[in-house]
Amino acid sequence: MIEFSHVYKTYPGPVHALKNIDLKIDKGEFVFLTGPSGAGKTTLFKMISAYDVATSGGVNVAGYDLAEIKDGQIPFYRRKIGVIFQDFKLLKDRTIFENVALPLQIRGDKTPAIQRRVYEVLEQVGLAHKHDQYPEFVSGGEQQRTAIARAIIHQPGVLIADEPTGNLDPRLSEEIMDLLERVCSQGTTVFVATHDHEMVKRRRKRTLELKEGMIVGDTK
Amino acid sequence: MRPPQKNFALKLTTLIVVTACFVVIGASLLVSKNFRNILTLWGEDVQMTVYLSSDLSEQGRQDIEQYLKDSGQVSDVQLVSQEKALSDFRVQLASYAPDISKDEELLKLIPASLQVKLASNIPASEQSKVLQNLASGLKAKQGVDDVGYGQDWVEKYAAFVSAIEITLQVVGIVIVLASMFVMSNAIRASVQAHRDEIVVLEMIGATTSMIRKPFLKEGALLGVVSSTLAVGLCYGLYVGLKSLVVQRLSFLQLGEHLTFISPVSVVIVIIGGTAMGALGSYLCVRKINDGWAASQRA
């Protein structure tokens, strides 16, 4: 589902952000990405979400060759993946329902189908009763669950999460990880970047360790 | 509970700032147009007198009149015969110098003349040059003794008009540029408020046109509303000033010559405003529509 082969990324300076990355993540796999700040985690995620391109090497995600992808195809590729941020990135002037519905509206789905699917996903993340609330008036954990609902509503093949529990306390972090595992169990490939080594140990999932732009550990 | 409507306050502020900019542009158009009207009014007094020889035949006089009409720069030519000139002279001098008006020898020296009015389509700043050319052409003609047109006054008037024209153009350009700068900052601030929305839409797969379209529509709407409001405010300003000039400054006799900007200019201001609003939004959205990088900076 996600495949990097001999990927290098160099920024002007030169700064070697990624060096000879080789990795393969299968469909339905749950993988953690760890490493200190500046190790290259965000660069790797930027490539997966087509916000950056490799200097050399091949990147293939959900059947798209991201080294060759044309600008006009990128939005359609992004509709096949889901992205979760540490700071949730919810629209404050829209309700939880409206935030979650966005990907389906972008895709051009009909209103009844959107309503049906939004309530289904809100049930899944335990937020159906808060559908008409605004993000500012719910807890951090609920905001992150809203972001997850938005990221999975269109049933993406790949879900990437950049420090999804970075702003949450340990109890809420566990809740979010449980939720991501449930999403994974339904066949979505989940790739999570985190600094929380304790949680990674507890979850006993495949873990990639990135250091100075290189993969220095893979528990597969 | 709804979140505080920060965007409404920002939209209102943007509308006020952009409207104020259009009012400044409209007011400068209005001032410039009416200043030109007044200058043209003063320019209408410019006349040329062609003094004719006493031995000039009827045919010769008609040739000179035809020459003036053929130039295309003259709107009216009136003959002042020697008798008419004498009679006018007598009337004018009767109370000041009664003895001179009775001096028959002296009066024989007063010639017949042609009073020439320039065409109204000649710009005030060109009048001096046109008069000079006509005068030199006429002086070469047989039967013309002299040509007078108040050279000093006309030349000073033309220089004054040129200076005013240049000043109006420079001030106009400065005002338009300053207004565009203020306007683009106001629109940029408004679009920046939607930065998170742009990042999210891009992330979930919205195409570039899907992201830009609402901003273009909003920018165009801002442009059309603010420029229309500005035209209305300028009209109010014009009516107020005109009534002031008519009622309090009636001795200037300028009231009837003050006019509002033409309907074509009104349409140009509104269409230009709409286009500027849409273009400003487009440029601002294009700048911040850079996805993940934007989200990392936020």
Side-chain angles (χ1 to χ4, degrees):
Chain A
M1 198 47 119
I2 301 175
E3 197 169 348
F4 278 56
S5 53
H6 304 295
V7 171
Y8 286 81
K9 179 66 192 180
T10 307
Y11 292 109
V15 177
H16 302 289
L18 293 178
K19 294 176 220 165
N20 197 24
I21 301 291
D22 263 317
L23 78 91
K24 191 172 178 206
I25 300 172
D26 293 326
K27 182 174 162 50
E29 209 175 347
F30 192 111
V31 180
F32 282 116
L33 179 67
T34 64
S37 296
K41 299 192 297 292
T42 299
T43 304
L44 200 108
F45 274 20
K46 278 164 86 170
M47 284 184 186
I48 296 174
S49 49
Y51 283 102
D52 211 340
V53 288
T55 308
S56 67
V59 180
N60 197 298
V61 182
Y64 282 82
D65 180 354
L66 299 184
E68 299 293 326
I69 195 167
K70 293 191 170 66
D71 284 353
Q73 288 179 304
I74 290 173
F76 301 97
Y77 160 68
R78 289 195 185 129
R79 293 176 198 179
K80 306 269 186 215
I81 63 168
V83 184
I84 300 165
F85 294 95
Q86 181 178 353
D87 60 352
F88 323 132
K89 297 258 173 273
L90 298 175
L91 302 182
K92 292 182 180 121
D93 59 347
R94 299 191 198 195
T95 63
I96 285 175
F97 181 98
E98 289 164 342
N99 269 282
V100 174
L102 272 174
L104 301 186
Q105 288 169 341
I106 293 289
R107 204 167 67 179
D109 287 12
K110 297 264 190 289
T111 308
I114 291 174
Q115 284 190 329
R116 214 171 29 248
R117 176 69 185 147
V118 171
Y119 282 117
E120 196 180 302
V121 174
L122 285 178
E123 283 288 349
Q124 195 180 338
V125 300
L127 283 176
H129 62 297
K130 297 217 169 175
H131 66 98
D132 58 350
Q133 298 277 300
Y134 287 87
E136 280 181 330
F137 302 107
V138 299
S139 70
E142 287 167 334
Q143 288 186 48
Q144 192 58 293
R145 280 192 275 155
T146 307
I148 293 172
R150 185 184 62 195
I152 63 171
I153 192 163
H154 54 300
Q155 295 168 307
V158 175
L159 180 65
I160 56 171
D162 192 9
E163 302 281 357
T165 57
N167 285 344
L168 304 177
D169 64 37
R171 188 181 60 80
L172 288 175
S173 298
E174 291 300 331
E175 266 183 32
I176 295 300
M177 281 302 158
D178 289 344
L179 183 55
L180 291 178
E181 281 195 28
R182 284 207 299 276
V183 170
C184 181
S185 68
Q186 289 164 7
T188 300
T189 303
V190 179
F191 197 14
V192 181
T194 182
H195 276 110
D196 191 343
H197 290 284
E198 290 305 313
M199 186 181 62
V200 171
K201 274 184 198 164
R202 278 197 304 277
R203 294 276 159 180
R204 296 174 181 275
K205 298 286 181 189
R206 180 183 170 192
T207 305
L208 295 170
E209 193 182 352
L210 210 54
K211 200 171 179 185
E212 293 174 358
M214 289 185 291
I215 293 177
V216 293
D218 185 349
T219 60
K220 190 174 185 181
Chain B
M1 191 190 286
R2 278 197 84 82
Q5 294 293 301
K6 290 175 199 158
N7 280 351
F8 176 74
L10 185 65
K11 278 177 186 167
L12 188 65
T13 311
T14 310
L15 180 69
I16 291 169
V17 171
V18 175
T19 303
C21 291
F22 280 123
V23 167
V24 171
I25 293 173
S28 15
L29 278 175
L30 201 55
V31 168
S32 159
K33 179 183 167 62
N34 282 293
F35 215 90
R36 287 193 175 99
N37 281 355
I38 293 167
L39 289 176
T40 309
L41 188 67
W42 291 349
E44 280 170 6
D45 291 339
V46 174
Q47 282 200 44
M48 174 186 267
T49 306
V50 182
Y51 297 102
L52 304 174
S53 307
S54 53
D55 56 353
L56 181 66
S57 65
E58 180 64 17
Q59 184 58 47
R61 183 180 59 78
Q62 283 175 3
D63 288 348
I64 292 168
E65 282 187 27
Q66 196 56 49
Y67 167 77
L68 287 165
K69 283 173 186 164
D70 289 348
S71 72
Q73 293 165 324
V74 165
S75 67
D76 188 38
V77 180
Q78 289 286 332
L79 170 69
V80 180
S81 64
Q82 198 174 23
E83 293 73 29
K84 174 85 168 54
L86 277 171
S87 135
D88 290 348
F89 187 71
R90 279 197 175 113
V91 169
Q92 283 165 7
L93 289 188
S95 54
Y96 301 105
D99 295 340
I100 290 178
S101 68
K102 287 170 189 161
D103 187 338
E104 293 300 325
E105 288 305 310
L106 186 66
L107 291 176
K108 279 179 191 167
L109 297 175
I110 294 176
S113 64
L114 294 172
Q115 295 295 321
V116 181
K117 267 195 166 182
L118 286 186
S120 57
N121 61 354
I122 295 172
S125 54
E126 298 289 315
Q127 285 175 349
S128 173
K129 201 192 270 180
V130 169
L131 287 167
Q132 269 178 20
N133 290 340
L134 277 177
S136 58
L138 286 164
K139 279 177 182 169
K141 290 230 167 263
Q142 227 173 6
V144 173
D145 274 352
D146 199 7
V147 180
Y149 55 89
Q151 285 87 335
D152 273 4
W153 187 87
V154 169
E155 275 162 23
K156 281 177 186 160
Y157 169 72
F160 176 68
V161 169
S162 293
I164 291 292
E165 290 271 349
I166 291 167
T167 308
L168 284 176
Q169 280 165 15
V170 170
V171 170
I173 290 169
V174 169
I175 286 174
V176 169
L177 289 178
S179 301
M180 281 173 73
F181 177 73
V182 172
M183 218 183 296
S184 68
N185 276 326
I187 292 172
R188 188 177 305 155
S190 173
V191 173
Q192 283 284 350
H194 293 281
R195 184 195 186 97
D196 286 348
E197 191 176 338
I198 292 170
V199 171
V200 168
L201 290 173
E202 197 177 45
M203 180 186 77
I204 60 178
T207 59
T208 308
S209 63
M210 277 176 174
I211 294 170
R212 288 179 187 167
K213 214 178 272 175
F215 291 100
L216 287 181
K217 279 185 189 167
E218 194 177 303
L221 186 68
L222 173 73
V224 77
V225 171
S226 53
S227 55
T228 307
L229 276 175
V231 168
L233 287 170
C234 282
Y235 187 73
L237 191 72
Y238 158 75
V239 170
L241 279 176
K242 187 168 180 172
S243 113
L244 181 78
V245 170
V246 169
Q247 287 170 13
R248 303 275 172 87
L249 305 170
S250 54
F251 62 90
L252 292 174
Q253 294 184 320
L254 291 175
E256 64 186 277
H257 302 289
L258 296 181
T259 55
F260 192 58
I261 49 176
S262 68
V264 173
S265 301
V266 168
V267 171
I268 288 172
V269 167
I270 292 174
I271 291 176
T274 310
M276 273 169 77
L279 183 70
S281 293
Y282 170 79
L283 293 175
C284 295
V285 176
R286 202 177 64 162
K287 259 188 182 175
I288 62 171
N289 186 12
D290 55 1
W292 190 295
S295 76
Q296 294 301 299
R297 284 198 302 273

